Amino acid sequence: MSVESLIFEKGAPGRRAASLPAMDVPTEALDSMIPADLLRATPAPLPEVSEIEVVRHYTHLSQRNFGVDTGFYPLGSCTMKYNPKLNEDMAALPGFARIHPLQSDSSVQGAIQLIYELEQYLAEIAGMARVTLQPSAGAHGELTGLMLIKAYHQSQGESHRNLVLIPDNAHGTNPASATLADYRAVEVKTDRKTGGIDMAHLKTLLEANGANVAAIMLTNPNTLGIFDTNVVEIARMIHEVGGQLYYDGANANAVLGITRPGDMGFDVVHFNLHKTCSTPHGGGGPGAGPIGVKEHLIPFLPGPLPAKDERGYYWQDAGPQSIGKVRANMGNFGVLVRAYTYIRSNGPDGLRHVAESAILNANYLRHELSKDYEIAYPLICQHEFVATAQRYKDEYGVTATDIAKRLLDFGMYAPTIYFPLIVHEAMMIEPTETETRETLDYFVSVMHQIAEEARTNPEIVRTAPHTTVIGRLDQALAARKPNLRWQPGQEKTHS
Ligand SMILES: *Cc1c(COP(=O)(O)O)cnc(C)c1O
């Protein structure tokens, strides 16, 4: 590839958006510090642009995108709640933003204190003994948790346990994490009436293979938005055969201050701070998936862990049984500052109010939407619920995808579609607690209008979106031949 083709078409030679002070490091010193084969022979082919060009470029890009700051985002199982700006202010404080992970403990007392206290808050919220803040995503927490469970079984002389039970409505990361941790994922069926675990099926699995079960991974409330009231009995059955219970707490919005995974009998839990604790997510941005454990799993936790004595806060090395670090440095620190801010600014009563409002909002939508859409499990839900477009597909050829795309025309994001897999034409909706009554009502009115359109003018739904910067993509082509890099001139070819 020629150097010229890397240079974008914006700018002109000599334009600058910043002025840097003259370099005060002698060139010879640089030459001796940097290996010769890493030194550039020619300047990097970067666009040379003025500040206003940079600002306009990125502002325009941001306007082509959808975000929680621009509209309602009912993306089920993703908890796209509003990101309070106070969180950003705190993360930007120089004492947090400008520190280095290798600074001495004595020079970052506030940062270690924040981690120390955040661990305690999350442990209290989850009903767990200790928490590691290292994992950087929910899936990363799952893998870490399963590695702890594996280390625990090994320490008990039970290395033969190779099965992880996972309900058929689980998030796809659960079986993926189990496989990555070198376990075999075994599916547990959903009870068609209750939406919880099919207890008879679980019993059969345990009778046949209980001695080989390492763990069960449960989401409660599950991805159908249903709280499984058999959970204490499930915990008893799994523990009885020597297995461990893993709680997928990615969406803990519904349980904050109401119940705790630890009290339900779970041994390990992960949180998604980028969901439950309002830190930004999406676009592959940094997240955090801390995991909490009960007492018997503490020796296996990754280290170092924050500690405190009369001299102050410090990082304590992990013991000899630790599975080792799962991430560089101390985790996604900026995300942890935001989550800490969220928890502190809500307080215990505020967190409970969060859960109650999230549940109320979801049930309001479930009730209102049920006039036009069939609800897969028409029961009181928790933070989310699953509707289905099956009827519209059968009668008018309008699918969940079409409805999702049509919503974009009204300035709202789409629900999660085609998940969980056990519901055909699924549309999984999670309003979160941060939306106003007016926004929820607008969403209901738009969903009603789309249902009307499906009956009277299905073509407009099938060809949506019509008002977005980019129209409907050829999904097969986008998946098979993804075009991920912008190139000069490409813009003009967009439809
Ligand atoms: C989002 C989610 C995950 C995965 O979390 P990531 O941070 O995306 O890795 C796992 N389980 C459930 C139920 C989720 O909603």
Side-chain angles (χ1 to χ4, degrees), residues 76-79 136-142 169-174 177 218-223 248-251 270-275 281 287-289 383-384 419 428 430:
S77 201
C78 287
T79 314
S136 300
H140 194 193
E142 291 170 25
N169 65 44
H171 196 275
T173 51
N174 290 186
S177 300
L218 284 184
T219 312
N220 197 26
N222 63 22
T223 64
D248 179 339
N251 311 111
H270 87 255
F271 278 113
N272 274 22
L273 301 186
H274 44 291
K275 293 179 183 169
H281 70 160
H383 58 295
E384 66 191 7
F419 176 76
M428 182 198 244
E430 179 183 12

Side-chain angles (χ1 to χ4, degrees), residues 372-424:
D372 290 301
Y373 300 89
E374 199 184 327
I375 307 297
Y377 287 78
L379 308 162
I380 295 281
C381 67
Q382 302 297 316
H383 58 295
E384 66 191 7
F385 62 94
V386 181
T388 160
Q390 187 67 46
R391 190 202 311 164
Y392 293 97
K393 184 180 178 191
D394 294 344
E395 292 177 26
Y396 311 104
V398 168
T399 64
T401 300
D402 300 332
I403 294 170
K405 299 283 184 199
R406 183 66 176 136
L407 267 170
L408 305 179
D409 284 333
F410 297 89
M412 286 179 284
Y413 202 74
T416 296
I417 51 174
Y418 300 104
F419 176 76
L421 303 176
I422 57 172
V423 178
H424 296 299

Side-chain angles (χ1 to χ4, degrees), residues 287-310:
I291 54 170
V293 297
K294 289 265 175 73
E295 204 75 43
H296 63 282
L297 294 170
I298 293 177
F300 309 102
L301 280 176
L305 286 161
K308 183 184 171 185
D309 64 13
E310 66 286 350

